[in-house]
Amino acid sequence: NDKTLAVQISLANTDAADGHVVQLYNGATLLGSVTLSSADVSAGSVEITTGELSDGGYTLTAKINF
């Protein structure tokens, strides 16, 4: 009964670069963020793991802050 969520976020078709911040939201609530490294950009994706979540439905969106 895992309460955390690991989300793989694609960087394809974005202008993401080393040092940009990717944020994962449930609605307006920030669930986690990561600062991109050159390795993340080269790999074309990054993973964000949330903190502990309660049972229920979630609507996830990811944003890149340039």
Side-chain angles (χ1 to χ4, degrees):
N1 201 8
D2 196 3
K3 297 284 187 178
T4 62
L5 183 63
V7 179
Q8 192 74 24
I9 299 166
S10 172
L11 303 175
N13 300 314
T14 70
D15 292 325
D18 184 20
H20 290 167
V21 177
V22 178
Q23 297 173 312
L24 180 67
Y25 288 88
N26 174 44
T29 303
L30 180 64
L31 298 178
S33 65
V34 65
T35 301
L36 294 175
S37 68
S38 57
D40 297 324
V41 175
S42 293
S45 65
V46 67
E47 183 174 282
I48 296 178
T49 301
T50 67
E52 189 170 309
L53 300 172
S54 59
D55 290 339
Y58 291 87
T59 302
L60 302 178
T61 56
K63 297 180 183 180
I64 301 174
N65 292 322
F66 297 99

